[in-house]
């Protein structure tokens, strides 16, 4: 009886001290995204008061279209490394959008997507806008 109790105690102690396999949740990585800006070229001339028409396309490899309602921001550069939002637009069902922007001074323009838990953030090509 004492031997059985002693063995049972050792077995219980062994179970308590045995290493437990960690069951961490898998890390979900956001899908890489691409963002394209089409404003009619790498450098666009615009008369003061005219609006600039742009087209944007947000994409992710292997997906024909992304979730609706993803916001993309048009930004202008205000200093060497600082960009400010001037326009916000949600993507259409085919992950594209068009917009007309009023820009009063020459500036660099880009599109920015801040990302979500599913899609990674992205920035577009930069277009130089010259206002004359």
């Amino acid at each position: 009886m004492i031997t059985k109790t002693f063995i049972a105690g050792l077995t219980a102690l062994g179970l308590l001290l045995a290493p437990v396999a960690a069951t961490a949740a898998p890390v979900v990585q956001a899908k890489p995204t691409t963002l394209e800006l089409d404003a009619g070229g790498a450098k666009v001339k615009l008369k003061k008061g005219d609006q600039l028409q742009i087209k944007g396309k947000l994409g992710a490899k292997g997906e024909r279209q992304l979730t609706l309602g993803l916001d993309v921001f048009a930004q202008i550069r205000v200093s060497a490394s600082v960009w400010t939002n001037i326009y916000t637009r949600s993507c259409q069902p085919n992950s594209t959008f068009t917009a007309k922007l009023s820009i009063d001074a020459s500036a660099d323009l880009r599109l920015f997507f801040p990302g979500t838990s599913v899609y990674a953030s992205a920035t577009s090509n930069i277009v130089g806008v010259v206002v004359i």
Side-chain angles (χ1 to χ4, degrees):
M1 175 83 170
I2 294 176
T3 304
K4 287 183 184 178
T5 305
F6 180 71
I7 292 175
L10 286 177
T11 303
L13 182 62
L15 290 175
L16 289 175
L17 297 177
V20 177
T23 56
V27 176
V28 178
Q29 290 186 333
K31 296 176 185 177
T33 56
T34 58
L35 187 56
E36 300 171 20
L37 168 61
D38 179 9
K43 195 169 197 176
V44 178
K45 289 186 180 178
L46 186 67
K47 289 183 180 178
K48 191 167 186 159
D50 287 351
Q51 290 188 326
L52 174 67
Q53 182 165 343
I54 64 169
K55 296 177 185 176
K57 180 171 176 81
L58 180 64
K61 188 176 181 181
E63 293 193 28
R64 295 184 72 157
Q65 67 182 38
L66 306 182
T67 306
L68 293 177
L70 298 175
D71 287 333
V72 174
F73 300 90
Q75 300 179 325
I76 58 170
R77 187 186 326 241
V78 293
S79 70
S81 62
V82 177
W83 294 84
T84 188
N85 297 339
I86 60 169
Y87 189 84
T88 304
R89 185 71 184 236
S90 291
C91 290
Q92 301 300 316
N94 59 358
S95 306
T96 63
F97 67 91
T98 58
K100 289 186 178 181
L101 307 176
S102 294
I103 300 177
D104 296 329
S106 298
D108 287 334
L109 175 71
R110 75 174 185 183
L111 298 177
F112 173 70
F113 171 63
T116 66
S117 60
V118 177
Y119 301 110
S121 65
T123 55
S124 72
N125 51 306
I126 297 173
V127 172
V129 179
V130 178
V131 178
I132 50 175

